[in-house]
Amino acid sequence: MIEVVLNDRLGKKVRVKCNEDDTIVDLKKLVATQTGTRPDKIRIQKWYNIYKDHITLKDYEIHDGMGLELYYN
Amino acid sequence: MANRTDPAAKSIRGTNPQNLVEKILRSKIYQNTYWKEQCFGLTAETLVDKAMEIDHLGGTFGGNRKPTPFMCLVMKMLQIQPEKDIVVEFIKNEDYKYVRVLGAFYLRLTGTDIDVYRYLEPLYNDYRKLRHKSPDGQFTLTHVDEVIDELLTKDYSCDIALPRIKKRWTLESIGSLDPRKSALEDDFEEEEEKEEEEEQNAELENGTHEKDYYRGRSPARERDRDRKRESHRYRDRDYERDRDYDRERGRGRDRDRERDRDRDRERDRDRYRLRDEKDYGRDREKMRDWEGRERDRRDRDRGRRRSHSRSRSRSRDRKDRDGEHRKRHARSSTSPRRHENGTENEPKKKKEKKEKKVDDGTDHPDPEIAEANRIRASLGLKPLRP
């Protein structure tokens, strides 16, 4: 179980607990429950690398405590 | 300048009509090539020509959320605000299905509740196929009536949040709308009678257990069938509300659902009894267990094939199953033979069952994790693994 921090630099900072084998879609759904936006409106990036939906967090090497950027579509 | 709304346009829902599309999507449309090239200086007439050229529906697609030409034209219509007659013409035309859907979409966004129902419901009869571009860029198949159903029942379509409209039965109860007349009304009754006979024959053919046979012929079933017929006689008056609830989900499924709701009710009754037999068949005898499961599976398959109202029957199942189980347990058999065979299998199987039940981690000692697991379960994800 890892905890990921997502920050949109406009006031929303969200800490989400998830498994490493969750996909990005699952992470977006969890973020959506906390922020209140729709999951398909959320975009997760790390400095111009837009994270694709079907890949797991483990494959993206997202570790515990890592910060990701939250953008909106 | 090209992006400003026509100054003569009225405000919709209290705001600039273009604001119906939210900010990010709006900016994406303004930056889109199709918008800049093709949609510059369009009037109502030239818009029709552009609309005839569209060949797919959709919202935004791809990694950077590119809008489809359909979206751009919707935006253009919001910008120039054509007259209602023109929009109705779009909807009424039979030749170009995408023009029809474009008009329907625009009316859903801007029209009053009564207009929306009045002009969109006839489109339920249109079965033509449409191409829909999904957010990942692939094309999928859909139909005109499916799209109209989405527009009337859901509150989000093609990446635009649809404005709220009153429910149909509210409008009917205040008298602004007439009750819905399905185009299939006449076919309905004879279809339904034919289906009933078929189902009875099918049950007999399956060579079901005697008990089932009895249940099939039980007076309860007759009663149900009569109740169903009664309901159709009083359809127009008393069961409006139920019918409307069905209609919210689409005309095509309307008659299936009414038929299935009654059938579900009696099948549920069958199903609880079968399931209870399975449960304490497991404690007692292996043979009976296998039989019960077979029956249950057969019934469940039959149910799945016919019934569309799964959620309702299942929740009722779960609620009643506990009550029934307790009732049944009181009448359990105490034969010595059954008792012996039961005890060996009992502890192992009971433990398996218990482990499965608590698998979603919502009773974790740490309340934060329990809460997170609860949310995950509601989203359909597995629980957190430490």
Side-chain angles (χ1 to χ4, degrees):
Chain A
M1 172 174 75
I2 58 178
E3 190 169 31
V4 182
V5 184
L6 286 98
N7 191 353
D8 77 342
R9 301 207 172 258
L10 292 171
K12 274 207 191 112
K13 193 162 172 184
V14 165
R15 301 176 74 88
V16 176
K17 281 190 172 57
C18 48
N19 286 331
E20 281 136 343
D21 54 358
D22 281 342
T23 58
I24 294 283
V25 178
D26 302 334
L27 182 61
K28 284 185 185 176
K29 285 187 199 162
L30 291 168
V31 171
T33 57
Q34 283 200 274
T35 59
T37 49
R38 299 177 72 95
D40 49 347
K41 294 261 171 223
I42 290 176
R43 198 168 77 214
I44 300 180
Q45 281 183 222
K46 189 110 184 128
W47 189 251
Y48 294 135
N49 293 322
I50 301 178
Y51 281 359
K52 293 201 168 53
D53 286 346
H54 53 281
I55 302 183
T56 60
L57 299 186
K58 187 150 152 252
D59 291 336
Y60 269 130
E61 297 194 6
I62 295 176
H63 302 301
D64 190 26
M66 194 153 147
L68 297 174
E69 291 157 34
L70 187 62
Y71 289 91
Y72 300 98
N73 278 325
Chain B
M1 189 218 124
N3 294 336
R4 246 189 298 141
T5 317
D6 182 24
K10 0 182 219 79
S11 74
I12 304 238
R13 318 229 170 218
T15 175
N16 184 343
Q18 291 195 77
N19 288 351
L20 280 175
V21 177
E22 50 158 32
K23 181 77 168 70
I24 297 178
L25 180 56
R26 221 184 315 148
S27 325
K28 289 254 163 68
I29 294 180
Y30 292 156
Q31 293 159 6
N32 185 262
T33 327
Y34 184 82
W35 173 268
K36 288 183 186 166
E37 291 173 358
Q38 319 281 355
C39 298
F40 183 78
L42 278 187
T43 62
E45 297 89 35
T46 44
L47 183 90
V48 185
D49 302 327
K50 285 278 177 249
M52 295 195 307
E53 288 168 21
I54 307 184
D55 65 345
H56 62 274
L57 294 184
T60 54
F61 62 94
N64 52 350
R65 301 272 124 198
K66 188 159 175 268
T68 56
F70 182 80
M71 280 275 93
C72 297
L73 285 181
V74 172
M75 193 62 172
K76 197 69 193 177
M77 285 180 85
L78 284 172
Q79 195 181 38
I80 60 179
Q81 263 207 359
E83 301 283 318
K84 188 171 149 201
D85 320 334
I86 302 184
V87 181
V88 174
E89 271 310 308
F90 272 31
I91 296 179
K92 284 199 177 141
N93 105 95
E94 296 267 336
D95 305 323
Y96 297 96
K97 48 193 177 178
Y98 290 101
V99 175
R100 212 173 204 192
V101 177
L102 183 69
F105 200 87
Y106 179 77
L107 188 67
R108 174 63 174 87
L109 289 179
T110 58
T112 60
D113 305 356
I114 303 177
D115 283 340
V116 166
Y117 283 111
R118 197 188 306 154
Y119 291 113
L120 260 50
E121 272 179 1
L123 292 184
Y124 269 134
N125 289 338
D126 192 339
Y127 302 127
R128 289 180 286 188
K129 296 187 199 168
L130 293 174
R131 224 179 271 129
H132 174 83
K133 195 150 195 173
S134 63
D136 58 1
Q138 309 287 341
F139 284 107
T140 54
L141 179 68
T142 181
H143 299 83
V144 176
D145 54 348
E146 279 177 45
V147 174
I148 301 293
D149 187 43
E150 245 189 53
L151 289 182
L152 286 179
T153 55
K154 302 221 180 79
D155 59 351
Y156 197 77
S157 172
C158 286
D159 278 353
I160 293 185
L162 305 174
R164 300 268 160 84
I165 51 174
K166 295 194 192 63
K167 295 263 185 243
R168 198 174 207 292
W169 60 271
T170 317
L171 291 171
E172 279 176 30
S173 65
I174 63 180
S176 325
L177 270 183
D178 302 323
R180 172 127 184 272
K181 257 190 120 10
S182 165
L184 291 181
E185 230 170 28
D186 306 316
D187 299 338
F188 190 177
E189 284 203 26
E190 44 172 90
E191 264 292 323
E192 171 211 55
E193 288 185 22
K194 219 195 315 166
E195 284 271 345
E196 262 183 40
E197 287 176 28
E198 273 179 29
E199 192 198 50
Q200 276 185 27
N201 294 338
E203 274 196 19
L204 289 178
E205 274 171 27
N206 274 348
T208 51
H209 197 254
E210 254 187 44
K211 261 194 199 167
D212 281 348
Y213 178 77
Y214 272 123
R215 268 186 228 133
R217 289 279 176 224
S218 78
R221 195 154 206 278
E222 305 290 322
R223 229 186 302 134
D224 269 344
R225 213 178 322 141
D226 284 340
R227 205 191 306 150
K228 226 183 302 179
R229 284 226 191 89
E230 289 286 306
S231 83
H232 291 306
R233 230 171 281 141
Y234 297 122
R235 192 171 26 170
D236 291 329
R237 276 173 267 133
D238 299 342
Y239 290 89
E240 242 176 56
R241 197 159 174 267
D242 288 340
R243 221 170 22 120
D244 289 332
Y245 171 79
D246 291 348
R247 214 167 297 114
E248 298 278 79
R249 309 299 181 83
R251 171 199 44 89
R253 287 175 243 141
D254 174 3
R255 60 181 160 119
D256 283 351
R257 187 157 305 185
E258 270 205 49
R259 193 188 331 138
D260 285 331
R261 219 185 317 147
D262 290 329
R263 218 185 275 142
D264 266 356
R265 234 176 267 139
E266 45 165 280
R267 206 184 303 117
D268 287 348
R269 224 182 303 132
D270 291 355
R271 214 184 280 150
Y272 327 141
R273 277 203 211 112
L274 290 174
R275 227 187 244 139
D276 289 335
E277 278 186 27
K278 179 172 70 145
D279 277 349
Y280 82 140
R282 215 186 295 171
D283 294 344
R284 307 296 174 198
E285 222 177 346
K286 251 186 187 166
M287 265 317 275
R288 280 191 57 195
D289 169 33
W290 176 83
E291 249 186 319
R293 214 180 274 149
E294 272 293 310
R295 241 181 294 135
D296 200 8
R297 203 181 301 135
R298 217 185 298 130
D299 267 10
R300 215 184 294 139
D301 281 343
R302 219 184 298 141
R304 204 177 289 145
R305 216 193 315 134
R306 293 248 177 87
S307 156
H308 295 291
S309 49
R310 274 164 53 220
S311 58
R312 287 177 94 201
S313 54
R314 218 182 267 154
S315 63
R316 218 183 294 138
D317 261 358
R318 227 177 279 134
K319 197 180 16 143
D320 287 350
R321 195 200 329 169
D322 292 340
E324 281 272 53
H325 184 86
R326 251 176 258 132
K327 239 195 291 175
R328 267 293 178 145
H329 218 65
R331 287 190 250 127
S332 61
S333 144
T334 51
S335 122
R337 179 167 65 97
R338 289 199 184 135
H339 242 290
E340 268 176 41
N341 276 357
T343 43
E344 305 139 24
N345 305 325
E346 199 181 302
K348 188 171 58 164
K349 283 188 178 144
K350 258 197 177 155
K351 205 184 272 183
E352 262 179 53
K353 207 172 154 208
K354 212 184 254 182
E355 273 178 27
K356 260 191 205 126
K357 264 193 210 155
V358 297
D359 205 35
D360 63 350
T362 46
D363 49 359
H364 199 276
D366 184 350
E368 227 181 87
I369 299 187
E371 175 67 20
N373 278 334
R374 197 181 53 77
I375 296 177
R376 287 177 74 95
S378 72
L379 289 174
L381 300 173
K382 293 206 198 97
L384 290 172
R385 266 193 342 263

Short mmCIF file of all heavy atoms in Angstrom, two decimals, chain B residues 280 283-285 288 331-343 346:
data_model
loop_
_atom_site.label_atom_id
_atom_site.label_comp_id
_atom_site.label_asym_id
_atom_site.label_seq_id
_atom_site.Cartn_x
_atom_site.Cartn_y
_atom_site.Cartn_z
N TYR B 280 -28.34 -25.15 3.33
CA TYR B 280 -28.27 -26.18 4.35
C TYR B 280 -28.21 -27.57 3.76
O TYR B 280 -28.03 -28.54 4.45
CB TYR B 280 -29.32 -26.00 5.43
CG TYR B 280 -30.71 -26.50 5.17
CD1 TYR B 280 -31.39 -27.12 6.21
CD2 TYR B 280 -31.36 -26.31 3.98
CE1 TYR B 280 -32.68 -27.55 6.04
CE2 TYR B 280 -32.66 -26.75 3.82
CZ TYR B 280 -33.31 -27.36 4.85
OH TYR B 280 -34.59 -27.78 4.69
N ASP B 283 -24.67 -28.31 4.44
CA ASP B 283 -24.43 -28.81 5.78
C ASP B 283 -24.85 -30.26 5.91
O ASP B 283 -24.37 -30.97 6.77
CB ASP B 283 -25.22 -27.99 6.81
CG ASP B 283 -24.69 -26.57 6.85
OD1 ASP B 283 -23.59 -26.35 6.37
OD2 ASP B 283 -25.41 -25.70 7.35
N ARG B 284 -25.80 -30.65 5.11
CA ARG B 284 -26.37 -31.98 5.30
C ARG B 284 -25.81 -32.99 4.34
O ARG B 284 -25.02 -33.84 4.70
CB ARG B 284 -27.90 -31.93 5.13
CG ARG B 284 -28.58 -30.90 5.97
CD ARG B 284 -28.43 -31.20 7.45
NE ARG B 284 -28.97 -30.13 8.26
CZ ARG B 284 -28.68 -29.96 9.53
NH1 ARG B 284 -27.82 -30.75 10.13
NH2 ARG B 284 -29.22 -28.99 10.21
N GLU B 285 -26.17 -32.85 3.09
CA GLU B 285 -25.87 -33.93 2.16
C GLU B 285 -25.23 -33.39 0.90
O GLU B 285 -25.70 -32.41 0.35
CB GLU B 285 -27.18 -34.63 1.80
CG GLU B 285 -27.07 -36.11 1.77
CD GLU B 285 -28.42 -36.73 1.49
OE1 GLU B 285 -29.45 -36.06 1.57
OE2 GLU B 285 -28.42 -37.93 1.18
N ARG B 288 -27.69 -33.61 -2.43
CA ARG B 288 -28.72 -32.57 -2.44
C ARG B 288 -28.11 -31.21 -2.73
O ARG B 288 -28.68 -30.38 -3.40
CB ARG B 288 -29.47 -32.54 -1.12
CG ARG B 288 -30.52 -33.63 -1.04
CD ARG B 288 -31.41 -33.40 0.14
NE ARG B 288 -32.03 -32.09 0.09
CZ ARG B 288 -32.62 -31.53 1.12
NH1 ARG B 288 -32.64 -32.14 2.27
NH2 ARG B 288 -33.17 -30.35 1.02
N ARG B 331 -36.89 -24.96 10.76
CA ARG B 331 -37.59 -26.20 10.40
C ARG B 331 -36.63 -27.28 9.94
O ARG B 331 -37.01 -28.21 9.29
CB ARG B 331 -38.56 -25.92 9.25
CG ARG B 331 -39.76 -25.14 9.70
CD ARG B 331 -40.81 -25.10 8.61
NE ARG B 331 -40.90 -23.75 8.07
CZ ARG B 331 -40.81 -23.49 6.79
NH1 ARG B 331 -40.61 -24.43 5.94
NH2 ARG B 331 -40.90 -22.25 6.39
N SER B 332 -35.35 -27.15 10.27
CA SER B 332 -34.36 -28.06 9.69
C SER B 332 -34.56 -29.48 10.18
O SER B 332 -35.03 -29.73 11.29
CB SER B 332 -32.97 -27.58 10.03
OG SER B 332 -32.80 -27.58 11.42
N SER B 333 -34.12 -30.39 9.32
CA SER B 333 -34.29 -31.81 9.62
C SER B 333 -33.22 -32.27 10.60
O SER B 333 -32.08 -31.82 10.55
CB SER B 333 -34.20 -32.58 8.32
OG SER B 333 -33.57 -33.80 8.54
N THR B 334 -33.57 -33.21 11.48
CA THR B 334 -32.59 -33.69 12.46
C THR B 334 -32.31 -35.16 12.26
O THR B 334 -32.01 -35.89 13.19
CB THR B 334 -33.11 -33.47 13.88
OG1 THR B 334 -34.43 -34.03 13.96
CG2 THR B 334 -33.16 -32.00 14.21
N SER B 335 -32.41 -35.62 11.02
CA SER B 335 -32.18 -37.06 10.77
C SER B 335 -30.73 -37.40 11.05
O SER B 335 -29.82 -36.65 10.69
CB SER B 335 -32.55 -37.37 9.32
OG SER B 335 -31.45 -37.91 8.66
N PRO B 336 -30.48 -38.54 11.69
CA PRO B 336 -29.11 -38.89 12.09
C PRO B 336 -28.19 -39.11 10.90
O PRO B 336 -27.04 -38.74 10.91
CB PRO B 336 -29.26 -40.17 12.92
CG PRO B 336 -30.63 -40.68 12.57
CD PRO B 336 -31.45 -39.52 12.18
N ARG B 337 -28.72 -39.68 9.82
CA ARG B 337 -27.88 -39.96 8.66
C ARG B 337 -27.32 -38.65 8.10
O ARG B 337 -26.16 -38.51 7.81
CB ARG B 337 -28.71 -40.68 7.61
CG ARG B 337 -27.95 -41.00 6.34
CD ARG B 337 -28.72 -41.98 5.51
NE ARG B 337 -29.96 -41.37 5.04
CZ ARG B 337 -30.10 -40.83 3.85
NH1 ARG B 337 -29.11 -40.81 3.00
NH2 ARG B 337 -31.25 -40.30 3.49
N ARG B 338 -28.20 -37.68 7.96
CA ARG B 338 -27.78 -36.40 7.39
C ARG B 338 -26.79 -35.69 8.28
O ARG B 338 -25.84 -35.09 7.81
CB ARG B 338 -29.00 -35.51 7.19
CG ARG B 338 -29.85 -36.04 6.06
CD ARG B 338 -30.74 -34.96 5.56
NE ARG B 338 -31.62 -35.50 4.53
CZ ARG B 338 -32.89 -35.26 4.47
NH1 ARG B 338 -33.46 -34.53 5.40
NH2 ARG B 338 -33.62 -35.77 3.51
N HIS B 339 -27.04 -35.82 9.58
CA HIS B 339 -26.16 -35.17 10.53
C HIS B 339 -24.73 -35.66 10.39
O HIS B 339 -23.79 -34.87 10.33
CB HIS B 339 -26.64 -35.46 11.95
CG HIS B 339 -27.03 -34.24 12.68
ND1 HIS B 339 -26.10 -33.32 13.06
CD2 HIS B 339 -28.22 -33.76 13.04
CE1 HIS B 339 -26.73 -32.32 13.68
NE2 HIS B 339 -28.03 -32.56 13.67
N GLU B 340 -24.57 -36.98 10.26
CA GLU B 340 -23.21 -37.56 10.17
C GLU B 340 -22.47 -37.02 8.97
O GLU B 340 -21.38 -36.52 9.07
CB GLU B 340 -23.31 -39.07 10.00
CG GLU B 340 -23.27 -39.83 11.29
CD GLU B 340 -23.48 -41.32 11.03
OE1 GLU B 340 -22.91 -41.80 10.04
OE2 GLU B 340 -24.23 -41.92 11.78
N ASN B 341 -23.10 -37.16 7.80
CA ASN B 341 -22.44 -36.75 6.57
C ASN B 341 -22.10 -35.29 6.60
O ASN B 341 -21.10 -34.87 6.05
CB ASN B 341 -23.35 -37.01 5.37
CG ASN B 341 -23.23 -38.44 4.90
OD1 ASN B 341 -22.43 -39.18 5.44
ND2 ASN B 341 -24.02 -38.79 3.93
N GLY B 342 -22.93 -34.54 7.26
CA GLY B 342 -22.76 -33.09 7.25
C GLY B 342 -21.53 -32.61 7.98
O GLY B 342 -20.79 -31.77 7.49
N THR B 343 -21.25 -33.23 9.15
CA THR B 343 -20.29 -32.59 10.05
C THR B 343 -18.87 -32.50 9.47
O THR B 343 -18.16 -31.56 9.76
CB THR B 343 -20.21 -33.35 11.39
OG1 THR B 343 -20.22 -34.75 11.09
CG2 THR B 343 -21.40 -33.00 12.25
N GLU B 346 -18.80 -29.69 6.99
CA GLU B 346 -19.31 -28.43 7.55
C GLU B 346 -18.22 -27.45 7.95
O GLU B 346 -18.20 -26.33 7.45
CB GLU B 346 -20.20 -28.75 8.75
CG GLU B 346 -21.12 -27.62 9.11
CD GLU B 346 -21.95 -27.99 10.33
OE1 GLU B 346 -22.65 -28.99 10.26
OE2 GLU B 346 -21.83 -27.27 11.33
#
